[in-house]
């Protein structure tokens, strides 16, 4: 129960931090610019005037959709991390054959699938805003798509095996091989020319870095909280099983 | 009958066992022709479906640009069929258990099954390509060097057979065998297929820089094969033990 | 509003729904997931309670 | 029996505190028993009592979580490969390839065991199980009884010391049982046997030692000479009621 309380506190802190990061992204963070726009008249605006040419007044174009970055990237990085945790526990399981590691691996994979889904959704919205299309077969999106499919496959595999121990072993084996595969797909898709942005070419400005780090910490806290709450549920469920068996036997 | 043979399986025995498993798979296949016929017919049916898909493409369309993609697509689906078959044999009468009971090193089973699968896949590939060329590529010119195609095919087959054998050994023990295999197999194959299609397209189209594209594709295929087959080999023992 | 000025703002504002939607969906989905888990957790707690009671009763018999 | 790697009077099977768990579930719970050479052990117990798991551990297919099991002094985990050469299994599953002939099946398994005189050995065994006239026929055409006979031949290929029988009588018709019994009688003196059985009468008739498992625990383990049959039956019946999990 204490663990659950800790998880709840972490969830709340994580929520607050990500919200703060979100607010900061719109207030204190420096506006990122994405190319320029030329207008026929001089206007009164916060966006700096770059130069006056024969065509008109060239302003830096504000890049509003970049604001998604402050929560999209934290979720994405958290998802990779949790996937790694799942693979780590899968290895631990194969080494020890102890059921608790399989449970941990499964819960981590479940958390990862939640985060991957969220990354996909925020990513798709960003793609629409920035590029005007909902989907593009571009390395990061593709890799993510493949990763999502592998995670779905992990659960399909689990659900189609009756024997508890065999299920654990097979799922662990697939979890590990999927984790090895993810960077390979990323690497291979990368070799095709891509236009996924490298967001801060010129390095982080402090005003950008602060909300990003806050968001990242917040998201990791949320991830840990989810994992921890689910583990709690799992343990409780196991207890119920044991009690039921004791009552019946 | 009671005297015992106290023998430690040395290198010689492993090799003997490897050959025995491989020979058994080939003999059984030659006898039933189950895998080759089902894979071959499936490949032919895929060709028909391709014809439907391309029926509205018009004359300006150059089928060579997607030929490699179509071919590898056919290979992926037929190979899944074959992989499933090859392990259903072992599973049906509990023969895999009998294999595991014998003093055989587990990797021997992995390599024997994987190489058997690779041979069948290569046979199907070799049969499919002329048919494909006959049906879709008549009048087209072949751009690259001829040796490039078999090299790419071999590279792809190694990866498909290696990872596929691991996955098929798992999926035969599940409910809904074929479906589970597809769900696990295709995402894992994604990088390999992408590289295979790239290398094969370079070979088919030729043109500027095609040699370089081919080799960079082959480099990726080699990297994938090395990493994933090694991983499959390392994990196979756990799968067998479960 | 000044038409040119409007254009510049429009460039920013057309993105806004997507940005807000991304944040909104992110949180709604996370909340929904956590809520779901919590409901299951509560049910399990109740179940544990019921089982504990019946265990005590049995021990008393 | 002269065996260089084991002492002269070694126990055939020696099981000490064997436990096999997964999470809270205990398939085997501190199982211990001994079996002298040449004995015939029948293992009884309801479904899910851990009989199959016990045989899987003894045949090196599954590793124990705790405890140890030795067969002729060979540990099931550490000396697994060596041990596999000295045990055979006859299951209710034939463990034969239907698309190979009887002879090809035996030849294949002879290769797997590295049997030196494979051709002669296969011939000899096929004659012993009276299948030499069908040796070129595919196994898929065989009846249940013939499969089981071929299965015996397969398990004897490498001249094992211990034979494991996993419900070998299931699915056999009376005539096939007769043939199976007479074959068993022929090889009885040369091997140590461990049999899983649902058939109380048959199991008791054949055995020299009996063991009842329930919920992974040994309920009763005794040589047949010390067993009172009525009491034994009563104990067995009692486990059937509780053991199914």
């Amino acid at each position: 129960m204490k663990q659950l309380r800790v998880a709840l506190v972490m969830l709340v802190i994580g929520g607050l931090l990500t919200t703060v990061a979100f607010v900061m992204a719109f207030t204190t963070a420096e506006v990122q610019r994405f190319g320029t726009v030329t207008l026929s008249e001089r206007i009164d605006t916060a966006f700096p005037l770059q130069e006056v040419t024969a065509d008109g007044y060239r302003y830096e174009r504000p890049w509003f959709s970049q604001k998604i970055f402050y929560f999209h990237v934290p979720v994405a990085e958290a998802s990779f991390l949790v996937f790694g945790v799942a693979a780590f526990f899968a290895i631990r399981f194969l080494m020890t054959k102890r059921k608790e590691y399989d449970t941990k691996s499964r819960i981590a994979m479940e958390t990862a699938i939640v985060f991957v889904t969220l990354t996909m959704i925020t990513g798709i919205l960003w793609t629409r805003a920035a590029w005007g299309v909902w989907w593009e077969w571009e390395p990061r999106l593709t890799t993510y798509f493949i990763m999502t499919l592998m995670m779905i496959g992990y659960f399909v595999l689990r659900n189609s095996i009756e024997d508890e121990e065999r299920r654990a072993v097979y799922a662990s084996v697939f979890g590990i091989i999927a984790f090895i595969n993810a960077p390979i797909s990323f690497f291979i898709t990368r070799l095709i020319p891509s236009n996924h942005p490298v967001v801060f070419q010129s390095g982080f400005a402090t005003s950008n870095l602060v909300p990003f780090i806050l968001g990242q910490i917040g998201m990791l806290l949320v991830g840990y909280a989810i994992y921890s709450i689910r583990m709690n549920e799992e343990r409780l469920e196991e207890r119920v099983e044991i009690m039921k068996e004791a009552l019946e036997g | 009958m009671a005297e015992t043979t106290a023998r430690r399986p040395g290198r010689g025995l492993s090799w003997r066992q490897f050959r025995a498993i491989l020979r058994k798979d080939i003999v059984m296949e030659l006898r039933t022709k189950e895998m080759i016929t089902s894979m071959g017919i499936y490949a032919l049916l895929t060709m028909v479906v391709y014809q439907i898909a391309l029926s509205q493409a018009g004359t300006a369309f150059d089928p060579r640009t997607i030929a490699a993609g179509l071919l590898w697509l056919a290979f992926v689906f037929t190979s899944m069929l074959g992989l499933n078959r090859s392990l259903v044999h072992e599973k049906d009468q509990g023969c895999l258990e009998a294999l595991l009971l014998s003093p055989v090193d587990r990797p021997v089973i992995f390599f024997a099954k994987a190489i058997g699968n690779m041979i069948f896949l290569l046979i199907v590939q070799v049969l499919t390509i002329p048919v494909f060329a006959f049906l879709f590529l008549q009048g087209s010119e072949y751009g690259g060097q001829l040796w490039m195609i078999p090299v790419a095919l071999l590279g792809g087959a190694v990866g498909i057979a290696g990872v596929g054998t691991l996955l098929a050994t798992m999926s035969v023990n599940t409910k809904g065998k074929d479906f589970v295999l597809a769900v696990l197999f295709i995402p894992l194959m994604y990088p390999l297929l992408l590289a295979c299609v790239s290398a094969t397209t370079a070979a088919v189209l030729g043109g500027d820089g095609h040699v370089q594209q081919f080799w960079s594709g082959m480099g990726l295929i080699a990297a994938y094969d090395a990493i994933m087959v090694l991983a499959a080999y390392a994990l196979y023992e756990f799968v067998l033990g479960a | 509003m000044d038409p040119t000025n409007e254009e510049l703002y429009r460039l920013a504002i057309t993105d806004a729904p997507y940005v807000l939607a991304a944040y909104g969906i992110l949180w709604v989905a996370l909340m929904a997931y956590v809520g779901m888990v919590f409901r299951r957790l509560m049910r399990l707690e109740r179940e544990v309670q019921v089982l504990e009671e019946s265990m005590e009763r049995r021990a008393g018999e | 029996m002269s065996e260089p790697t084991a002492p002269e009077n070694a126990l055939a099977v020696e099981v000490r505190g064997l436990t096999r768990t997964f999470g809270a579930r205990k398939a085997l719970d501190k199982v211990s028993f001994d079996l002298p050479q040449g004995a015939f052990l029948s293992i009884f117990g309801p479904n899910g009592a851990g009989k199959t798991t016990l045989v899987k551990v003894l045949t090196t297919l599954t590793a124990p979580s705790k405890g140890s099991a030795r067969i002729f002094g060979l540990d099931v985990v550490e000396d697994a490969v060596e041990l596999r050469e000295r045990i055979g299994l006859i299951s209710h599953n034939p463990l034969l390839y239907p698309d190979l002939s009887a002879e090809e099946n035996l030849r294949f398994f002879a290769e797997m065991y590295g049997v030196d005189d494979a051709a002669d050995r296969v011939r000899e065994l096929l004659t012993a199980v009276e299948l030499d006239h069908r040796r070129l026929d595919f196994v898929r055409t065989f009846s249940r009884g013939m499969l089981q006979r071929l299965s015996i031949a397969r398990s004897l290929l490498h001249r094992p010391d211990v034979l494991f029988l996993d419900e070998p009588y299931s699915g056999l018709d009376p005539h096939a049982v007769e043939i199976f019994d007479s074959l068993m009688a022929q090889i009885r003196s040369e091997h140590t046997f461990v049999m899983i059985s649902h058939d109380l009468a048959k199991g008791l008739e054949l055995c020299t030692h009996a063991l009842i498992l329930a919920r992974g625990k040994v309920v009763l383990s005794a040589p047949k000479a010390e067993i009172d049959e009525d009491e034994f039956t009563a104990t067995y019946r009692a486990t059937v009621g509780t053991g199914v999990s």
Side-chain angles (χ1 to χ4, degrees):
Chain A
M1 277 303 44
K2 199 177 142 214
Q3 222 177 355
L4 190 63
R5 219 161 294 143
V6 172
L8 272 175
V9 171
M10 287 175 91
L11 188 69
V12 172
I13 296 176
L16 283 175
L17 282 179
T18 33
T19 312
V20 168
F22 181 73
V23 173
M24 282 178 83
F26 286 95
T27 51
T28 63
E30 186 187 317
V31 175
Q32 294 290 309
R33 289 160 192 109
F34 189 52
T36 54
V37 59
T38 308
L39 302 178
S40 55
E41 294 176 51
R42 190 191 176 98
I43 55 164
D44 180 29
T45 168
F47 306 119
L49 175 67
Q50 281 216 312
E51 58 176 330
V52 184
T53 61
D55 299 331
Y57 301 88
R58 222 147 74 94
Y59 286 95
E60 285 196 330
R61 184 181 150 187
W63 197 17
F64 195 72
S65 64
Q66 182 267 333
K67 301 290 183 198
I68 290 182
F69 165 87
Y70 295 101
F71 42 99
H72 167 73
V73 177
V75 180
E77 285 181 0
S79 74
F80 268 118
L81 200 79
V82 190
F83 191 14
V85 169
F88 169 75
F89 281 128
I91 294 173
R92 291 288 295 148
F93 171 76
L94 288 182
M95 279 160 58
T96 59
K97 293 285 165 69
R98 285 170 62 173
K99 194 188 175 188
E100 64 207 72
Y101 287 121
D102 174 55
T103 311
K104 283 180 180 171
S105 177
R106 171 166 52 91
I107 300 299
M109 197 64 97
E110 199 181 298
T111 315
I113 210 171
V114 170
F115 277 18
V116 166
T117 314
L118 292 175
T119 311
M120 288 280 279
I121 294 171
T122 48
I124 284 172
L125 286 164
W126 181 84
T127 317
R128 176 65 184 83
W131 297 337
V133 291
W134 288 104
W135 182 262
E136 192 156 316
W137 286 106
E138 159 287 325
R140 254 175 243 211
L141 267 73
T142 312
T143 318
Y144 242 80
F145 187 57
I146 300 293
M147 232 168 89
T148 316
L149 288 179
M150 289 196 292
M151 288 176 183
I152 293 171
Y154 176 90
F155 286 101
V156 168
L157 179 66
R158 284 199 86 97
N159 287 334
S160 59
I161 303 171
E162 297 277 359
D163 184 85
E164 223 184 331
E165 198 176 341
R166 175 173 283 170
R167 185 197 303 151
V169 172
Y170 285 10
S172 297
V173 166
F174 185 71
I176 293 168
I177 209 162
F179 186 69
I180 298 172
N181 193 271
I184 302 180
S185 7
F186 179 68
F187 180 69
I188 284 184
T189 35
R190 259 234 126 156
L191 292 178
I192 298 169
S194 147
N195 46 355
H196 193 285
V198 180
V199 178
F200 294 108
Q201 267 129 340
S202 50
F204 277 113
T206 320
S207 66
N208 298 126
L209 195 60
V210 171
F212 171 67
I213 288 178
L214 285 181
Q216 182 71 72
I217 294 172
M219 214 34 97
L220 288 177
L221 285 176
V222 169
Y224 185 75
I226 288 179
Y227 168 78
S228 182
I229 294 171
R230 282 287 290 116
M231 271 315 281
N232 230 291
E233 189 196 339
E234 243 8 86
R235 286 206 193 95
L236 213 56
E237 208 157 330
E238 216 164 282
R239 224 177 108 198
V240 166
E241 283 306 307
I242 291 172
M243 284 169 85
K244 271 186 186 165
E245 215 165 281
L247 280 169
E248 277 156 18
Chain B
M1 279 207 297
E3 80 272 27
T4 51
T5 45
R7 182 209 325 276
R8 288 196 145 272
R11 207 163 280 279
L13 182 57
S14 287
W15 176 237
R16 219 173 131 183
Q17 289 162 333
F18 171 82
R19 271 188 330 199
I21 299 175
L22 192 58
R23 186 175 339 108
K24 174 216 64 170
D25 278 348
I26 292 171
V27 166
M28 263 160 72
E29 180 52 36
L30 288 178
R31 191 161 290 159
T32 60
K33 297 179 190 67
E34 245 180 21
M35 264 157 88
I36 297 284
T37 38
S38 59
M39 286 165 87
I41 291 173
Y42 199 84
L44 280 181
L45 291 175
T46 321
M47 299 297 130
V48 176
V49 177
Y50 288 166
Q51 194 279 322
I52 300 169
L54 297 175
S55 59
Q56 302 300 315
T59 46
F61 176 73
D62 182 2
R64 287 191 309 159
T65 52
I66 59 162
L70 294 182
L71 268 175
W72 280 102
L73 201 86
F75 296 152
V76 170
F77 284 102
T78 50
S79 65
M80 282 199 290
L81 209 67
L83 285 167
N84 223 330
R85 279 284 151 79
S86 98
L87 279 133
V88 166
H89 285 159
E90 301 289 351
K91 195 65 208 168
D92 261 354
Q93 312 281 344
C95 294
L96 193 58
E97 204 183 331
L99 275 188
L100 293 178
L101 269 172
S102 68
V104 59
D105 285 332
R106 277 36 181 165
V108 172
I109 302 181
F110 173 72
F111 283 116
K113 290 307 283 184
I115 287 177
N117 285 328
M118 195 180 85
I119 291 173
F120 297 131
L121 182 63
L122 283 174
I123 292 173
V124 172
Q125 287 180 340
V126 167
L127 295 179
T128 311
I129 288 182
V131 178
F132 182 85
F134 174 77
L135 292 174
F136 292 100
L137 297 177
Q138 286 197 42
S140 302
E141 229 164 86
Y142 182 74
Q145 283 88 321
L146 210 54
W147 56 264
M148 286 178 170
I149 299 275
V151 172
L153 287 182
L154 189 70
V158 169
I160 290 178
V163 178
T165 303
L166 174 79
L167 296 182
T169 311
M170 296 204 276
S171 69
V172 284
N173 284 312
T174 62
K175 295 177 275 174
K177 302 174 174 56
D178 332 37
F179 167 67
V180 174
L181 181 62
V183 169
L184 305 183
F185 185 70
I186 294 178
L188 280 185
M189 279 299 132
Y190 168 81
L192 177 69
L193 288 175
L194 207 65
C196 283
V197 169
S198 163
T200 316
T201 302
V204 172
L205 287 181
D208 281 345
H210 79 276
V211 176
Q212 201 225 328
Q213 191 190 337
F214 174 80
W215 283 117
S216 70
M218 281 314 295
L220 293 173
I221 293 171
Y224 176 95
D225 285 354
I227 297 172
M228 293 302 271
V229 174
L230 204 69
Y233 153 78
L235 293 169
Y236 200 67
E237 191 159 346
F238 294 108
V239 170
L240 285 179
Chain C
M1 205 193 285
D2 182 78
T4 36
N5 216 347
E6 204 177 317
E7 191 181 339
L8 186 58
Y9 280 121
R10 196 177 53 76
L11 288 169
I13 297 308
T14 45
D15 290 352
Y18 300 108
V19 177
L20 293 174
Y23 188 75
I25 290 174
L26 182 82
W27 276 109
V28 168
L30 271 179
M31 297 279 229
Y33 179 72
V34 171
M36 205 175 69
V37 173
F38 256 90
R39 268 189 46 194
R40 284 203 308 244
L41 213 72
M42 291 302 139
R43 219 192 49 221
L44 278 168
E45 295 278 9
R46 271 206 307 279
E47 209 168 332
V48 166
Q49 241 171 12
V50 169
L51 286 169
E52 261 168 3
E53 273 167 28
S54 55
M55 270 183 135
E56 268 169 39
R57 213 175 314 130
R58 283 207 189 181
E61 271 169 21
Chain D
M1 205 175 293
S2 64
E3 175 50 49
T5 54
E8 201 56 43
N9 58 347
L11 288 167
V13 182
E14 195 181 353
V15 178
R16 290 283 171 275
L18 200 65
T19 303
R20 168 91 189 151
T21 51
F22 191 68
R25 210 191 65 220
K26 282 190 171 160
L28 292 176
D29 193 358
K30 301 199 194 80
V31 171
S32 298
F33 65 89
D34 288 330
L35 194 67
Q37 261 185 42
F40 192 119
L41 174 72
S42 286
I43 303 173
F44 303 100
N47 286 330
K51 300 182 305 271
T52 309
T53 313
L54 177 58
V55 168
K56 276 198 161 180
V57 171
L58 291 179
T59 51
T60 75
L61 292 181
T62 330
S65 312
K66 271 197 205 113
S68 70
R70 291 172 169 275
I71 293 179
F72 287 110
L74 297 170
D75 190 271
V76 288
V77 179
E78 264 137 54
D79 314 311
V81 179
E82 224 173 308
L83 180 54
R84 283 182 199 126
E85 296 183 14
R86 303 190 52 180
I87 55 174
L89 172 74
I90 301 168
S91 162
H92 46 99
N93 239 348
L95 314 188
L96 295 161
Y97 292 96
D99 290 320
L100 295 181
S101 71
E103 190 172 26
E104 282 168 331
N105 258 299
L106 294 190
R107 283 300 289 272
F108 170 68
F109 284 107
E111 289 291 305
M112 294 307 291
Y113 281 98
V115 175
D116 285 328
D117 49 344
D120 296 337
R121 181 76 183 148
V122 166
R123 230 20 104 72
E124 177 192 331
L125 281 168
L126 279 171
T127 316
V129 298
E130 289 167 36
L131 281 171
D132 46 336
H133 61 296
R134 300 285 306 252
R135 70 191 158 86
L136 297 178
D137 290 1
F138 292 155
V139 165
R140 66 159 73 257
T141 64
F142 281 24
S143 71
R144 191 76 189 91
M146 288 157 78
L147 279 176
Q148 210 59 330
R149 269 142 66 197
L150 191 58
S151 202
I152 294 179
R154 193 212 62 233
S155 69
L156 294 177
L157 274 170
H158 56 293
R159 304 175 172 92
D161 299 324
V162 183
L163 268 182
F164 289 88
L165 309 170
D166 186 355
E167 293 172 30
Y169 290 100
S170 79
L172 288 188
D173 55 54
H175 179 62
V177 168
E178 233 169 75
I179 298 175
F180 188 81
D181 275 346
S182 74
L183 271 171
M184 287 288 290
Q186 277 176 42
I187 58 173
R188 173 66 190 86
S189 60
E190 291 150 1
H191 308 267
T192 306
F193 288 84
V194 175
M195 178 167 85
I196 294 179
S197 177
H198 271 315
D199 187 342
L200 203 57
K202 190 100 217 163
L204 273 179
E205 175 199 323
L206 291 170
C207 75
T208 63
H209 290 69
L211 184 108
I212 300 180
L213 275 181
R215 308 187 132 215
K217 287 198 169 90
V218 176
V219 177
L220 189 152
S221 164
K224 192 180 177 183
E226 294 169 19
I227 290 174
D228 175 61
E229 218 161 298
D230 294 334
E231 206 176 297
F232 186 83
T233 314
T235 314
Y236 176 69
R237 294 266 177 268
T239 64
V240 179
T242 61
V244 186
S245 53

